[in-house]
């Protein structure tokens, strides 16, 4: 099942936005990142930062470590956008979802 979130025109390159999605487990906040120029340009990870216990991942700074796109929120831990794993602590991971452009909209598979 896919949830259409919003028009692709509101996405800024190398930045994230937060959105609500309905999952089988209930509603969840998701952080969606648009990173143009890569084979995979859209990423969706859980918006909740387990280190600061705040919903801030979408506001994270987007960069890369060894070519892997990452986002770094409040305490500067880096989360790989591809699989949600924390670079500094491999035992911590954010949930991820498949996300893609659906015409003029962005869809997340839930």
């Amino acid at each position: 099942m896919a949830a259409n979130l919003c028009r692709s025109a509101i996405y800024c390159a190398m930045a994230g936005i937060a959105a609500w999605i309905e999952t089988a487990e209930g509603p969840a906040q998701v952080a969606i990142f648009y990173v143009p120029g890569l084979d995979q340009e859209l990423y969706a990870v859980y918006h909740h930062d387990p280190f600061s216990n705040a919903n801030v991942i979408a506001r994270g700074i987007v960069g890369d470590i060894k070519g892997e796109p990452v986002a770094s929120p409040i305490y500067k831990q880096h989360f790989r956008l591809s699989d949600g794993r924390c670079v500094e602590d491999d035992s911590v991971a954010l949930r991820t979802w498949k996300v893609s452009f659906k015409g003029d909209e962005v869809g997340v598979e839930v």
Side-chain angles (χ1 to χ4, degrees), residues 92-107:
V92 177
L94 305 175
R95 182 176 176 183
T96 61
W97 291 267
K98 290 183 181 181
V99 61
S100 62
F101 288 113
K102 308 281 187 191
D104 284 346
E105 295 185 339
V106 171

Side-chain angles (χ1 to χ4, degrees), residues 31 33 35 38 40 42-51 57 61-73 76-97:
F33 292 91
V35 187
L38 300 178
Q40 180 180 342
L42 285 175
Y43 299 88
V45 298
Y46 192 42
H47 185 46
H48 186 80
D49 176 8
F51 293 98
I57 297 293
I61 299 166
V62 177
D64 75 82
I65 294 177
K66 297 182 182 177
E68 177 80 30
V70 296
S72 174
K76 306 303 183 234
Q77 285 87 3
H78 299 91
F79 293 94
R80 291 191 303 255
L81 297 178
S82 59
D83 63 7
R85 289 265 172 227
C86 177
V87 173
E88 291 79 15
D89 184 348
D90 198 45
S91 70
V92 177
L94 305 175
R95 182 176 176 183
T96 61
W97 291 267

Side-chain angles (χ1 to χ4, degrees), residues 4-65:
N4 287 332
L5 296 176
C6 48
R7 299 264 177 227
S8 58
I10 70 165
Y11 289 85
C12 296
M14 304 302 288
I17 66 164
W20 280 97
I21 60 172
E22 289 293 330
T23 70
E25 299 83 23
Q29 289 191 35
V30 62
I32 300 173
F33 292 91
Y34 174 47
V35 187
L38 300 178
D39 289 339
Q40 180 180 342
E41 293 186 324
L42 285 175
Y43 299 88
V45 298
Y46 192 42
H47 185 46
H48 186 80
D49 176 8
F51 293 98
S52 67
N53 201 30
N55 294 320
V56 295
I57 297 293
R59 295 183 180 153
I61 299 166
V62 177
D64 75 82
I65 294 177

